Amino acid sequence: MSLLLKVENLDFKYQDTDVLKGINLEVNAGDFVGILGPNGCGKTTLLNNINQWLKPHRGSIYLKNINIRKLKPKILAKHIATVPQDTSIEMSFTVEQVVLMGRNPYLVNFEAEKERDFAIAEESMKYMDIWHLKEKPVRELSGGEKQRVLIARALAQEPELLLLDEPTSHLDINYQWELLGFLKKLCLNRGITIIAVMHDINLASMFCDKIILLKDHKIFKMGPLIDVINEKNIKEVFNMDVHVCFQEYTGRPVIVFLGRKENINIPRPFNTLHVICGGGEGEKLLHYLKKRGYEVSVGVLNKGDTDWLTAKMLGFDVIEEVPFSPISDEKIEENTKYVKKSEAVLLADVPFGYGNLKNLVCLKNILHQKKIFVMEERAIESRDYTNGMASQIYRDIRDRAVVLHSFDELKSFL
């Protein structure tokens, strides 16, 4: 296989905080590479350095031996396409209009799409099985359908390299497998190289050929799936005891999580807690709080969200919104009542878009009334998809909160 991407001695910082340190990696054409690691280790930041959305402080990135800093954005967009984690599309574009946006690198300013552009957009929609939705407004689609639209838009760029940031987040398990199946076929049938940040180790194991395992902002281990996914590496990186077995027909590793022992006998500082989370960022926190015996309420979460499922399973009170919809004023009012009843509030390390921004506003409105704990494993700038609105509100909250930079630090307080 020919070398497509090479990263040499890459460092990146947010202000004075190291996010990536000494990153060296090589990816061959046609690889399906999964990036795994704890929250805040730099997974998304690595993608955004590769696509030049962020500029590294040191180091070089080469695409087919060409330093990508020498490529103009429109030229780079013909080679690298990105599907970000945030799938919100606020305006009333149709599916076809969104997919046609992928043809922008091939058009000069104000140039109309040509017959070839429409043909490529059609091919991309048919490949992702959304051709029948072409005239439907994107805001009326389900989360799984929206994700396929964004991938179709990326395919319309005709890229050699496709970058995806947690493409299966907020999707039910059947949609997760379906979507990853589409991506796997892109590698096998079209030779498109894929690098995807993954949240679920077992999903990565089922579909990826190679794994990049990040820890402490560095590459801990990188290589073929079978060399990276093992009990020792998972324990070292995620601090979790696991058992690794192998599928009979594929030989791919399957992780069985055994958990870890927690000191749950120390006195609790509070009895009641309200947790603001979402997208799986609160899953570990909620399990821990259950073990500690806290009375927990959670919200506002969309039905079907990973944290919604966890909270319901654990028997917590959940303020729930309909799937894939922005938080309504009615639900925020209900959420506020739970916040006021609690003795303290815990804000997880959540990405914020316009859909869940009201959770932050709700928290800001009770700043002087409650003890607030903020989990900050990643800089807010790296998870703000609201053009800075979330960052501004978050900083006001942060200034009056107890800031916790890791799960171990949280356990020393709660």
Side-chain angles (χ1 to χ4, degrees), residues 40-282:
C41 67
K43 300 185 294 292
T44 298
T45 302
L46 178 55
L47 289 191
N48 291 339
N49 273 264
I50 292 172
N51 63 21
Q52 290 291 277
W53 291 4
L54 297 173
K55 304 294 183 184
H57 287 69
R58 187 175 75 93
S60 302
I61 302 170
Y62 299 92
L63 186 71
K64 288 185 172 179
N65 294 320
I66 300 173
N67 192 320
I68 63 174
R69 289 191 184 184
K70 297 180 179 179
L71 299 177
K72 294 181 179 179
K74 273 201 169 186
I75 299 298
L76 186 62
K78 293 179 180 180
H79 298 278
I80 301 177
T82 303
V83 180
Q85 188 178 84
D86 181 36
T87 59
S88 61
I89 302 174
E90 302 297 327
M91 300 182 71
S92 300
F93 292 114
T94 66
V95 167
E96 184 176 40
Q97 287 171 330
V98 171
V99 176
L100 279 169
M101 293 175 188
R103 299 304 298 164
N104 286 343
Y106 298 88
L107 305 174
V108 298
N109 290 341
F110 307 111
E111 181 183 11
E113 294 89 354
K114 304 181 183 67
E115 184 177 347
R116 171 174 167 78
D117 300 309
F118 283 99
I120 291 172
E122 177 180 341
E123 181 186 9
S124 300
M125 285 185 278
K126 286 181 176 177
Y127 192 89
M128 295 306 299
D129 195 24
I130 54 171
W131 175 245
H132 61 290
L133 301 172
K134 66 174 183 173
E135 296 180 358
K136 194 168 184 179
V138 174
R139 57 187 169 86
E140 296 180 9
L141 302 181
S142 70
E145 290 168 338
K146 284 182 182 178
Q147 191 70 291
R148 281 189 280 167
V149 170
L150 295 179
I151 294 175
R153 180 179 67 181
L155 293 181
Q157 293 176 225
E158 300 182 279
E160 299 171 271
L161 176 60
L162 180 59
L163 307 178
L164 303 107
D165 191 0
E166 297 199 20
T168 59
S169 62
H170 312 301
L171 299 183
D172 292 336
I173 186 65
N174 57 322
Y175 286 116
Q176 293 177 2
W177 277 77
E178 181 182 69
L179 185 63
L180 289 170
F182 277 121
L183 296 176
K184 187 70 174 179
K185 289 177 183 177
L186 288 175
C187 282
L188 297 176
N189 300 338
R190 293 194 176 189
I192 293 178
T193 304
I194 293 178
I195 303 177
V197 170
M198 303 286 281
H199 181 74
D200 188 307
I201 301 174
N202 279 321
L203 279 177
S205 181
M206 290 302 102
F207 292 93
C208 298
D209 304 308
K210 296 181 179 178
I211 297 293
I212 297 171
L213 201 53
L214 295 180
K215 180 189 177 185
D216 297 332
H217 313 290
K218 302 175 183 178
I219 292 180
F220 175 81
K221 186 77 174 180
M222 175 179 61
L225 174 72
I226 202 73
D227 294 338
V228 178
I229 301 299
N230 58 48
E231 294 172 1
K232 180 181 178 182
N233 290 341
I234 300 304
K235 170 69 175 178
E236 182 70 23
V237 171
F238 293 97
N239 192 26
M240 291 287 289
D241 290 320
V242 300
H243 172 66
V244 177
C245 51
F246 297 88
Q247 280 192 325
E248 182 179 355
Y249 298 106
T250 67
R252 290 177 174 268
V254 177
I255 307 297
V256 180
F257 291 93
L258 305 177
R260 57 181 177 180
K261 295 180 179 179
E262 305 283 3
N263 184 2
I264 61 174
N265 298 318
I266 59 175
R268 297 188 305 269
F270 310 102
N271 290 316
T272 59
L273 275 172
H274 184 78
V275 180
I276 296 174
C277 52
E281 298 299 334

Side-chain angles (χ1 to χ4, degrees), residues 326-396:
I327 297 172
S328 65
D329 291 337
E330 177 186 358
K331 294 301 179 181
I332 281 297
E333 184 177 348
E334 184 180 349
N335 193 61
T336 301
K337 291 178 181 178
Y338 273 92
V339 169
K340 289 182 177 179
K341 286 195 300 183
S342 68
E343 296 176 74
V345 181
L346 172 61
L347 174 62
D349 192 61
V350 187
F352 284 98
Y354 294 107
N356 66 342
L357 184 62
K358 286 184 179 179
N359 272 337
L360 270 186
V361 176
C362 175
L363 187 52
K364 181 181 177 181
N365 290 338
I366 54 93
L367 274 180
H368 301 283
Q369 304 173 34
K370 296 290 174 182
K371 184 79 170 181
I372 297 174
F373 296 88
V374 172
M375 282 292 293
E376 188 177 86
E377 296 175 296
R378 298 171 291 176
I380 184 61
E381 291 81 7
S382 67
R383 47 193 172 94
D384 180 0
Y385 300 95
T386 65
N387 292 321
M389 294 174 61
S391 296
Q392 184 175 350
I393 299 170
Y394 177 88
R395 292 188 192 101
D396 290 339

